[in-house]
Amino acid sequence: MTYQILKAIHIIFVVSYFAGLFYMVRLFVYDTEALELKNEKGNILHQQLIYMQERLWNIITLPAFIIMIISGFYMLHLTHWGFITQGWMIVKLVFVGILAAYHFWTWKTIRNLQKEKTQYTSVQLRMMNEVATIILFVVVFAVILKQSFMAYWYWALISFVAMGALIMLIVKLVNRNKS
C-alpha cells in the first residue's frame, strides 16, 4: 500500500513539475519579446514577468521537482532497487538526468532574464519548450510499455526523433514571421 500511495504522489508531482516547466518557458518567450520592445511598456511587462517567473519557480516548479525526485528514489528503495537493472528504468533514469540538465538550463535562463540578458530568440525558446515534451514522452512510454519499449527500442527511437522533428517543424512554421 505504501508503494501505491508513493506512486500516486510521484505522478501528481511529475504533472505539477511539467506544468511548471511548460509555463516557465512560455514566460521566457513573453519576457524575451518584452525586452525587445526597449520602451517603458516593455520594461513594466519585463518586471511583471520576472515576478511571475520567480513565483512559479519557487512555489510550484522547484518544490514539485524535489518531491518528484525524492518520491521516485524512495519508490526505488521500497523495491530494493530491483527495477534499477531493467532496461526501461535505465532509459527513464537517463532521461531524468537529461531533465535535470534542462531544469538547470531553466534556472540559469531565469537568472539571465533577471539581468535582462537574452540569449535566445522567442522562436528558439518555443523550440526549447518542446524539449521537455519529448523527455515526457520518452519517460511515459518507457514506464508504461516497460519490456515492450525495450524490445522495440529502435522503433521508439525512430518515433521520438521523428516526433521531435515534427514538433520543431510545426513550431518553426507557426512562428515563421517572428525572429
Side-chain angles (χ1 to χ4, degrees):
M1 184 65 133
T2 302
Y3 181 83
Q4 296 301 332
I5 292 169
L6 202 53
K7 189 178 193 180
I9 289 168
H10 182 70
I11 291 168
I12 289 165
F13 284 98
V14 166
V15 171
S16 298
Y17 177 67
F18 273 93
L21 276 185
F22 292 144
Y23 189 47
M24 183 65 71
V25 181
R26 290 306 300 170
L27 291 175
F28 294 167
V29 170
Y30 304 143
D31 201 359
T32 298
E33 291 173 349
L35 287 170
E36 289 171 358
L37 293 175
K38 298 190 187 299
N39 60 25
E40 185 180 346
K41 180 181 175 183
N43 187 43
I44 292 168
L45 187 54
H46 167 69
Q47 294 305 317
Q48 179 62 37
L49 289 164
I50 288 297
Y51 174 77
M52 292 169 69
Q53 291 165 26
E54 280 286 326
R55 301 285 296 204
L56 177 61
W57 187 260
N58 292 327
I59 296 172
I60 296 173
T61 311
L62 185 57
F65 179 75
I66 292 167
I67 295 169
M68 174 185 77
I69 296 297
I70 290 171
S71 62
F73 277 107
Y74 192 55
M75 283 190 305
L76 283 172
H77 171 73
L78 286 178
T79 62
H80 305 287
W81 304 93
F83 291 136
I84 203 80
T85 60
Q86 296 184 15
W88 64 271
M89 180 57 77
I90 293 168
V91 169
K92 177 185 177 181
L93 292 176
V94 165
F95 277 86
V96 168
I98 295 168
L99 183 62
Y102 186 82
H103 178 89
F104 179 75
W105 171 84
T106 305
W107 173 79
K108 192 154 177 57
T109 303
I110 292 169
R111 298 297 170 240
N112 285 335
L113 286 169
Q114 287 174 338
K115 299 172 192 169
E116 298 185 12
K117 293 181 185 176
T118 57
Q119 296 176 273
Y120 309 98
T121 66
S122 61
V123 173
Q124 288 172 325
L125 288 167
R126 283 178 174 89
M127 289 182 160
M128 283 302 291
N129 205 23
E130 302 312 323
V131 170
T133 304
I134 293 167
I135 293 169
L136 182 60
F137 266 84
V138 172
V139 169
V140 168
F141 274 85
V143 170
I144 299 298
L145 298 177
K146 291 182 175 49
Q147 301 313 325
S148 296
F149 183 85
M150 295 312 298
Y152 301 103
W153 66 268
Y154 44 89
W155 287 115
L157 179 62
I158 291 167
S159 298
F160 292 129
V161 168
M163 182 192 58
L166 179 62
I167 289 170
M168 297 296 180
L169 177 65
I170 290 169
V171 168
K172 194 73 166 168
L173 288 173
V174 169
N175 296 289
R176 66 184 168 271
N177 295 327
K178 297 184 186 210
S179 56

